[in-house]
C-alpha cells in the first residue's frame, strides 16, 4: 500500500488504521487486512513506561518503526514523529522524518499538526516524504492545552477546518482527527478531499484509528471513545500466574520438558 492509494480512498469503504509497536503485533494487524499501521508515539506510555509521549526519542521511534516495517507486507506503515523532532528547525525535521523512510523503512510520517506544520508538510511532500496530518487533540501539546476534547466552540472548530484544508493544500495524504465532536468530524470530512481518520471523532470520518493495546484489552485504561474487543491483559495475567504457580509447586519442568544424557553421568561423579 502507498500513501497515494490511501489519498484516493475518501468516501469509499471505511479505512482502518491501528497502532503497532513491535513485529508480532504488526504481523497480526497486517494479516487482519488493516489499511494503515501507525507506529504511534503512544509507544512511550504504553510500552516504554514513560508518563506521557513527550520523552520519546527519534531513535526509539526508528527502532520500533523498523520492527513494525519488517513484519508488515501490505499495510501502509506510518511513523509518528515524536515531540520536538519537528517544528523547531525545518532542516532537523527533514532529517528526522527522512530517517524514518531511509533507515526504518516507513512509508509515511505523521505530524501532530498546527499552523507550524503547514509549510513543513509542503516541504516534506515535495521531497517525497508522505505526511499524515493530525488535528484536534494533539497529546504532544498536553502541557499547553491539557488532554481534553478539542473543537468544542465555534472558533476552535473553524480553526480545525481551516487547518485541515491548509494541510490538504500542502500535500498531506490524510488527516487524523482526535477527540472532536462528531459534527465537526463530519464537517471536516465534507470540507477536504483527502481521507479523514477519526479517533473519538464520530462515524462520519472516512476511516477509524484506535490504539491496539485498547482494542485487544492489554491497556490498563481505555479512552471513553475507544472499545476493547478482547482481554489480552487478563489472559497474560492468567498465563504468568499459571507459570509461577507451576514452578512453585514443582510441576514445571515436567518429564517432557527435561532431558538427560547418560554419557555425561561420569562428569558429575
Ligand atoms: O500515538 C498514537 O497512538 C496516535 C493515535 C492516537 C492516533 O497518535
Amino acid at each position: 500500500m502507498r500513501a497515494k492509494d490511501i489519498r484516493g480512498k475518501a468516501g469509499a469503504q471505511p479505512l482502518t488504521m491501528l497502532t503497532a509497536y513491535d513485529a508480532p503485533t504488526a504481523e497480526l494487524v497486517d494479516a487482519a487486512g488493516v489499511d494503515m499501521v501507525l507506529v504511534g508515539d503512544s509507544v512511550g506510555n504504553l510500552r516504554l513506561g514513560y508518563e506521557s509521549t513527550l520523552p520519546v526519542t527519534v531513535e526509539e521511534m526508528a527502532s520500533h518503526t523498523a520492527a513494525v516495517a519488517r513484519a508488515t507486507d501490505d499495510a501502509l506503515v506510518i511513523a509518528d514523529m515524536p515531540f520536538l523532532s519537528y517544528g523547531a528547525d525545518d532542516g532537523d525535521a527533514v532529517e528526522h522524518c527522512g530517517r524514518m523512510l531511509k533507515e526504518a523503512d516507513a512509508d509515511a510520517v505523521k505530524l501532530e499538526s498546527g499552523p507550524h506544520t503547514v509549510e513543513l508538510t509542503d516541504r516534506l511532500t515535495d521531497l517525497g516524504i508522505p505526511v499524515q496530518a493530525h488535528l484536534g487533540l494533539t497529546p504532544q501539546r498536553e502541557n499547553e492545552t491539557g488532554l481534553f476534547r478539542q473543537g468544542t466552540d465555534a472558533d476552535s472548530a473553524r480553526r480545525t477546518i481551516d487547518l485541515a484544508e491548509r494541510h490538504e493544500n500542502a500535500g498531506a495524504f490524510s488527516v487524523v482527527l482526535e477527540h472532536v465532536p462528531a459534527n465537526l468530524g463530519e464537517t471536516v470530512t465534507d470540507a477536504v478531499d483527502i481521507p479523514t481518520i477519526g479517533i473519538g471523532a464520530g462515524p462520519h470520518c472516512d476511516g477509524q484509528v484506535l490504539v491496539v493495546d485498547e482494542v485487544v484489552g492489554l491497556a490498563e485504561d481505555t479512552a471513553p471513545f475507544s472499545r476493547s474487543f478482547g482481554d489480552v491483559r487478563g489472559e497474560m495475567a492468567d498465563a504468568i500466574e499459571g507459570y509461577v504457580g507451576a514452578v512453585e509447586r514443582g510441576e514445571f519442568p515436567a518429564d517432557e520438558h527435561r532431558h538427560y544424557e547418560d554419557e555425561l553421568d561420569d562428569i558429575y561423579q
Side-chain angles (χ1 to χ4, degrees):
M1 185 84 71
R2 295 197 185 282
K4 69 178 175 53
D5 303 320
I6 300 290
R7 179 195 293 276
K9 289 196 170 174
Q13 190 187 343
L15 289 160
T16 51
M17 175 160 131
L18 260 185
T19 65
Y21 315 106
D22 54 58
T25 313
E27 207 176 307
L28 290 168
V29 167
D30 194 41
V34 158
D35 296 301
M36 290 168 276
V37 186
L38 172 67
V39 190
D41 64 349
S42 48
V43 69
N45 38 312
L46 291 173
R47 296 297 167 79
L48 300 178
Y50 298 139
E51 296 267 313
S52 74
T53 60
L54 300 195
V56 176
T57 65
V58 171
E59 281 65 33
E60 286 166 338
M61 285 312 305
S63 168
H64 286 275
T65 300
V68 167
R70 283 191 287 269
T72 304
D73 291 329
D74 297 322
L76 187 83
V77 175
I78 304 172
D80 205 5
M81 296 311 296
F83 182 51
L84 294 188
S85 65
Y86 61 98
D89 177 274
D90 277 2
D92 288 349
V94 168
E95 189 191 321
H96 296 147
C97 294
R99 264 185 79 178
M100 297 301 158
L101 272 69
K102 280 169 76 98
E103 290 173 27
D105 211 16
D107 301 306
V109 299
K110 174 168 85 60
L111 306 179
E112 290 195 11
S113 310
H116 63 298
T117 54
V118 176
E119 274 183 30
L120 178 60
T121 298
D122 199 13
R123 173 112 178 93
L124 290 169
T125 51
D126 266 359
L127 289 169
I129 302 175
V131 175
Q132 181 173 65
H134 179 161
L135 297 169
L137 175 61
T138 47
Q140 290 174 12
R141 292 170 61 82
E142 70 165 284
N143 287 312
E144 231 235 334
T145 56
L147 291 174
F148 306 117
R149 259 184 220 132
Q150 301 292 310
T152 48
D153 60 69
D155 272 355
S156 91
R158 268 195 285 273
R159 268 200 306 278
T160 306
I161 299 162
D162 176 57
L163 281 171
E165 290 171 339
R166 289 170 66 196
H167 281 83
E168 174 178 35
N169 293 335
F173 71 90
S174 62
V175 53
V176 168
L177 295 174
E178 181 165 355
H179 214 183
V180 297
N183 40 351
L184 177 55
E186 185 173 15
T187 307
V188 175
T189 302
D190 289 344
V192 295
D193 289 332
I194 53 173
T196 53
I197 312 295
I199 173 164
H204 309 289
C205 296
D206 297 298
Q208 299 291 326
V209 55
L210 283 180
V211 165
V212 74
D213 290 34
E214 297 186 0
V215 168
V216 301
L218 176 60
E220 239 178 310
D221 306 308
T222 302
F225 49 73
S226 185
R227 178 173 155 195
S228 286
F229 293 79
D231 179 27
V232 167
R233 193 176 183 84
E235 298 222 355
M236 281 181 79
D238 287 349
I240 293 164
E241 280 166 29
Y243 161 75
V244 171
V247 171
E248 288 176 351
R249 289 190 300 274
E251 292 168 11
F252 180 85
D255 285 350
E256 67 268 31
H257 305 123
R258 56 183 102 160
H259 68 107
Y260 294 95
E261 299 296 341
D262 293 342
E263 65 197 69
L264 296 183
D265 284 351
D266 293 348
I267 301 176
Y268 301 118
Q269 280 162 11

